[in-house]
Amino acid sequence: MKIHSIKYMILSLGIASIALVSCDNDLLDTVPNDRLSVDGFWKTEQDAKLAVNSLYTDLDSTNVISWDALTDIAHTNQNFDVQAYVELGTYDGTSSKIYNEWKRAYRGIRATSYFLENVDKVASTNTALINQLKGEAKVLRAYQYIKLAGFYGDVPLVTSALTIDESRTLVKAPVAEIWDFIDKELNEAAALLPATYPASDKGRVTQGAALGLAARASLYAGRYAKAAEEADKVIKSGNYGLYESYEKLFTYAAENNKEVLFDRQFIKDTYPINVFALLAPYSQKNSQSTYVPTKALVDTYETLDGKLITDATSGYNPAAPYANRDSRLKYSVFLEGDVLPSGIAFKPQPTSGTADAIGSTYIASTTGFNIKKYISADDFANPVNSGLNIILLRYAEVLLTYAEAKIELGQIDASVLAAINLVRNGRTDVKQPSIKTTSATELRAIVRRERTVELAFEGQHLFDIRRWKTAEKVIPGPVYGITYKDASGALKTVEVVAVNKTFDVSRHYIWPIPQKERDLNPSLTQNPGW
């Protein structure tokens, strides 16, 4: 897949050139020698492979982490970042954050639609290959629609590469119709895709990815029977399992492991990602701490005996808040005293005198926490040159989707507990006590907590609190960070200066339609409250 990733980068430009040439191919009779012509492409199987490779460049990467910073579990660290205004509720359809997510999704949809319209021009007797490539494109298109439905609700349903004039007359389809399309698209794709690939094609969309995304989409849509059914197919396929170490799950050592159903792949030196520079503490070669964890997330992790820290019998000690805690906390968040990639200790207290001290610079984490997932010592030498793949769907999510769907259906049985408990203690380095209760109320709270801590900084929490209708409870209010001893020895909890997150229940459960799109197309009606 590392070879294919190179192709993804190079050929995205080629496909764009094809689209441009196709619009203007009657202006001149000469054949351009600086780009691919539509008349010269779509001839061979290799053309089809290269074209589908380019579609992967429209997948999300580190922007999925930004979505969590719009919730209670993380925070956009610099208050002048456009995303910070979304946290504060002072945004509308003119926000570049809102527009860019829309633009990225529809760019991917147009590219995949263009591919599907043209791939049958390729002269090939290898029907299985062409069907596989179609399946890949269908999954990539459905992935974009899952996001659009989750972010904006009703959106235009586009299944062809539109002309500019056609795009100016689009109207929104009901979100239920979008979910119907996604389900149809992913199930059609699953029938076309292989369960596995040889090593040279690692990273391509598989049947399991199609089914796993179908389970996610159905859960988002509240179609629990379908969500449980699709997740169960993945579970029973036997092709996936938990990676043995949560600590190493987001490192080079674990790439392409059995837990990953779907990811965006990168290559150090050739097709890199700047994830280290984006997230690491400031002391690590002036890394940016762009999105940082909050106390709300850290407090969600149980103690090692499976109790909440608010439980009087948990033994939780505010003076030693990270002791005796679910090990996923220390694998997900940089905590006081952790050894950083540079070899120094992480000391974020305002009194520490270090580069990471709160208030030492506007870039240092304002909460005193930093994200640890995807931060590898292998990338310290050049923080903008990471080759780590960004995971977009993994088996632990499928297990929790299955469990949640069955709980909501009132179908609580041994398989539900088994799925939850596998996530809680199915790895060598995560050993939370097994859940035994069969109470729907208790299990609902447990599975929601498991999704929050297990999938932290993986882009799921914003969609989760929206569909759970808990966003108005968990988002509003100040942002808090570490608790430390001040000069007098008293415990003090950091409150981020001048930040008061807002969530307006009358309109914030869906984003506004970007104003740029409505300026171009007055037929696009605005969402309620905007």
Side-chain angles (χ1 to χ4, degrees), residues 8-22:
Y8 297 163
M9 177 180 64
I10 295 172
L11 281 144
S12 61
L13 298 176
I15 296 303
S17 297
I18 293 171
L20 289 172
V21 172
S22 68

Side-chain angles (χ1 to χ4, degrees), residues 1 58 89 149 153 161 221 232 262 285 304 334 342 356 390 403 414 416 419 456 460-462 474 500 519 529:
M1 177 58 197
D58 289 311
D232 193 45
F262 190 43
K285 293 194 173 182
L304 284 174
F334 279 113
S342 66
D356 294 320
I390 303 298
V416 173
Q460 290 301 297
H461 194 58
L462 178 61
V474 301
N500 195 67
D519 289 343

Side-chain angles (χ1 to χ4, degrees), residues 461-474:
H461 194 58
L462 178 61
F463 299 108
D464 284 348
I465 61 176
R466 283 180 167 194
R467 63 189 179 80
W468 295 336
K469 293 294 184 284
T470 59
E472 74 264 26
K473 299 176 184 177
V474 301

Side-chain angles (χ1 to χ4, degrees), residues 92-262:
D92 56 23
T94 63
S95 166
S96 61
K97 172 66 175 180
I98 304 304
Y99 173 67
N100 286 336
E101 295 290 358
W102 174 286
K103 180 174 68 174
R104 180 184 291 110
Y106 274 110
R107 183 179 62 206
I109 288 167
R110 190 192 191 286
T112 49
S113 297
Y114 181 80
F115 172 86
L116 290 166
E117 287 176 348
N118 286 277
V119 68
D120 283 331
K121 295 177 181 176
V122 171
S124 172
T125 58
N126 191 345
T127 304
L129 173 63
I130 299 302
N131 283 341
Q132 171 207 308
L133 300 179
K134 288 179 180 178
E136 291 179 57
K138 283 176 172 287
V139 170
L140 296 173
R141 183 166 64 181
Y143 172 83
Q144 303 293 354
Y145 272 116
I146 292 172
K147 290 188 307 173
L148 286 168
F151 281 143
Y152 306 96
D154 300 350
V155 293
L157 179 56
V158 181
T159 59
S160 60
L162 303 176
T163 66
I164 292 176
D165 287 340
E166 288 171 333
S167 67
R168 287 175 174 160
T169 61
L170 287 173
V171 296
K172 295 191 294 184
V175 70
E177 187 177 331
I178 304 296
W179 293 126
D180 288 342
F181 173 77
I182 291 167
D183 184 66
K184 176 177 178 292
E185 192 90 330
L186 290 171
N187 277 275
E188 287 179 357
L192 300 174
L193 290 165
T196 60
Y197 290 97
S200 60
D201 275 334
K202 284 291 184 184
R204 287 190 179 277
V205 175
T206 62
Q207 183 180 83
L211 296 173
L213 287 172
R216 174 190 287 180
S218 293
L219 189 71
Y220 283 8
R223 300 175 177 184
Y224 299 119
K226 187 68 174 175
E229 176 188 348
E230 301 295 356
D232 193 45
K233 290 178 184 177
V234 177
I235 295 168
K236 288 180 176 176
S237 73
N239 293 320
Y240 302 96
L242 296 184
Y243 185 66
E244 54 269 22
S245 171
Y246 194 90
E247 180 182 18
K248 296 179 180 178
L249 182 57
F250 300 90
T251 69
Y252 288 101
E255 290 202 322
N256 299 311
N257 73 77
K258 63 183 178 180
E259 184 164 346
V260 178
L261 278 75
F262 190 43

Side-chain angles (χ1 to χ4, degrees), residues 347-389:
K347 294 183 178 181
Q349 315 99 309
T351 56
S352 70
T354 69
D356 294 320
I358 295 171
S360 63
T361 168
Y362 70 92
I363 299 177
S365 172
T366 51
T367 64
F369 299 116
N370 275 90
I371 295 173
K372 187 178 284 188
K373 288 181 177 179
Y374 296 115
I375 304 303
S376 170
D378 294 334
D379 294 330
F380 175 70
N382 188 350
V384 298
N385 186 31
S386 174
L388 285 171
N389 301 333

Side-chain angles (χ1 to χ4, degrees), residues 377-456:
D378 294 334
D379 294 330
F380 175 70
N382 188 350
V384 298
N385 186 31
S386 174
L388 285 171
N389 301 333
I390 303 298
I391 300 172
L392 301 176
L393 175 65
R394 57 188 177 91
Y395 188 61
E397 180 190 335
V398 174
L399 291 170
L400 293 174
T401 293
Y402 174 80
E404 182 179 350
K406 295 281 280 186
I407 292 166
E408 297 302 329
L409 290 168
Q411 298 174 1
I412 299 169
D413 57 21
S415 68
V416 173
L417 298 182
I420 296 173
N421 289 330
L422 187 58
V423 174
R424 287 176 61 83
N425 52 44
R427 307 178 196 270
T428 58
D429 57 3
V430 178
K431 293 298 178 185
Q432 290 303 103
S434 291
I435 298 300
K436 297 179 180 178
T437 182
T438 56
S439 161
T441 300
E442 292 177 359
L443 284 172
R444 181 177 294 113
I446 289 167
V447 80
R448 289 181 178 185
R449 186 164 59 252
E450 283 298 316
R451 283 186 68 91
T452 302
V453 300
E454 173 72 23
L455 305 175

